[in-house]
Amino acid sequence: EQEKGLGALEGVGFRVGQGLSERLTKETPSFKDELDVLKFLCKDLWVTVFKKQVDNLRTNHQGTYMLQDDHFLLLSQLSNGKQYLEEAPKFLAFTCGLVKGALSNLGFDSTVTAEVLVMPCSKFQVVIQKS
Amino acid sequence: MAVCIAVIAKENYPLYIQSITTENELKFHYTVHTSLDVVDEKISAMGKALVDQRELYLGLLYPTEDYKVYGYVTNSKVKFVMVADSSNTALRDNEIHSMFQKLHNSYIDVMCNPFYNPGDCIHSRAFDNMLTSMMMQVC
């Protein structure tokens, strides 16, 4: 029941990601490679949606990326303690869809998962599928 | 004057194609189809160079009549193709460029419509009107 709800949220985020990436990439030059696209996500897209850039981007150069936002906007209103740690990932479903949709529109199939270890810091793991 | 405008998805099937006259429509469809090869060539040639989004193709695609076919590629690999009658030599580069910009803006609006599924053919009336006015205006 809850899975369906989160799935629906991610679906909505996906569609929004597609439209948003189309709008934001209108003036930008062509992306050279995967890393360029991820950097665009971390800077332009994140700033547009969350008013700040992603704080840390890591990659294993083999298609897996880790985006870390130390002060995630959607979690900032919740308490910083352990109280809502379990519930927090639900608030990230939409954002996972957003990232997935933006990547898909720019030509990359991916799976995106999110985790919260310490509030309000959230980590998004993006795995680009090799076709 | 632009006689035919087409929006092609990244998988190379048409999302939207409209010609100014209904006669000879098939000819324009064929012209657009053949120009796709050239577009693909240009895209693969771009490679590592940091290029402009804008891309221009100028030339005789159809041997008996003069048509200029212009192409434009977005970052999401959606292609816009415009066939213009080259008897109107007043049509300049930056005019074509601004037409493509308007086309891109309309396409973005279609994309952001939550009732539109990316990959479907475009049925938006606003998009139709925009394109018709663009083709009329340049005459």
Side-chain angles (χ1 to χ4, degrees):
Chain A
E1 163 74 59
Q2 199 172 72
E3 289 302 311
K4 266 173 59 177
L6 291 181
L9 265 183
E10 203 177 311
V12 174
F14 188 88
R15 189 65 192 87
V16 173
Q18 285 179 311
L20 196 58
S21 67
E22 190 72 53
R23 212 177 267 282
L24 292 179
T25 55
K26 179 170 184 279
E27 301 291 327
T28 57
S30 306
F31 296 119
K32 280 183 291 181
D33 54 22
E34 218 172 74
L35 191 56
D36 235 18
V37 175
L38 262 296
K39 287 192 196 157
F40 156 78
L41 270 189
C42 295
K43 294 192 190 152
D44 301 309
L45 192 102
W46 225 256
V47 164
T48 310
V49 183
F50 302 114
K51 313 274 192 300
K52 63 185 283 290
Q53 293 187 6
V54 162
D55 295 302
N56 199 346
L57 171 68
R58 270 179 277 188
T59 173
N60 66 357
H61 292 291
Q62 275 157 24
T64 306
Y65 298 85
M66 228 272 298
L67 284 74
Q68 182 171 328
D69 188 334
D70 290 324
H71 207 86
F72 196 53
L73 196 77
L74 299 178
L75 297 176
S76 59
Q77 302 294 332
L78 301 174
S79 134
N80 276 3
K82 294 222 165 64
Q83 191 177 8
Y84 296 112
L85 203 55
E86 242 184 78
E87 315 288 331
K90 294 184 202 152
F91 289 82
L92 304 176
F94 179 81
T95 315
C96 288
L98 192 76
V99 172
K100 203 160 166 219
L103 281 171
S104 141
N105 198 31
L106 296 170
F108 299 102
D109 276 324
S110 57
T111 37
V112 183
T113 47
E115 60 171 357
V116 182
L117 294 171
V118 179
M119 296 279 274
C121 163
S122 58
K123 296 195 181 146
F124 296 91
Q125 192 190 42
V126 179
V127 180
I128 310 272
Q129 324 287 37
K130 297 283 174 224
S131 53
Chain B
M1 119 185 132
V3 291
C4 174
I5 301 184
V7 179
I8 317 282
K10 64 164 111 93
E11 292 88 5
N12 282 341
Y13 64 86
L15 289 174
Y16 185 88
I17 184 161
Q18 196 187 49
S19 316
I20 203 166
T21 52
T22 41
E23 58 176 67
N24 288 337
E25 206 177 35
L26 200 60
K27 179 175 76 172
F28 294 133
H29 286 213
Y30 180 69
T31 310
V32 168
H33 190 255
T34 49
S35 68
L36 284 182
D37 278 333
V38 190
V39 172
D40 277 338
E41 250 179 63
K42 295 230 170 188
I43 295 178
S44 51
M46 284 212 277
K48 300 230 166 163
L50 235 152
V51 273
D52 243 349
Q53 257 182 326
R54 179 193 81 166
E55 165 220 84
L56 224 55
Y57 171 72
L58 199 75
L60 266 145
L61 267 195
Y62 197 68
T64 57
E65 279 151 283
D66 272 15
Y67 283 114
K68 295 194 184 119
V69 185
Y70 299 91
Y72 182 102
V73 187
T74 66
N75 263 317
S76 53
K77 303 289 173 278
V78 167
K79 305 159 186 90
F80 302 135
V81 179
M82 201 181 308
V83 183
D85 194 337
S86 62
S87 58
N88 181 4
T89 46
L91 214 55
R92 280 164 49 229
D93 235 24
N94 42 7
E95 279 176 31
I96 301 282
H97 188 36
S98 62
M99 278 170 75
F100 272 129
Q101 296 279 47
K102 282 204 292 195
L103 190 56
H104 197 176
N105 281 330
S106 299
Y107 175 71
I108 291 175
D109 287 336
V110 168
M111 259 307 249
C112 290
N113 178 3
F115 295 111
Y116 169 73
N117 287 320
D120 290 348
C121 291
I122 298 179
H123 289 301
S124 150
R125 252 182 309 183
F127 194 71
D128 282 340
N129 291 339
M130 223 290 311
L131 254 67
T132 324
S133 74
M134 221 159 64
M135 291 202 280
M136 288 293 147
Q137 159 225 4
V138 197
C139 280

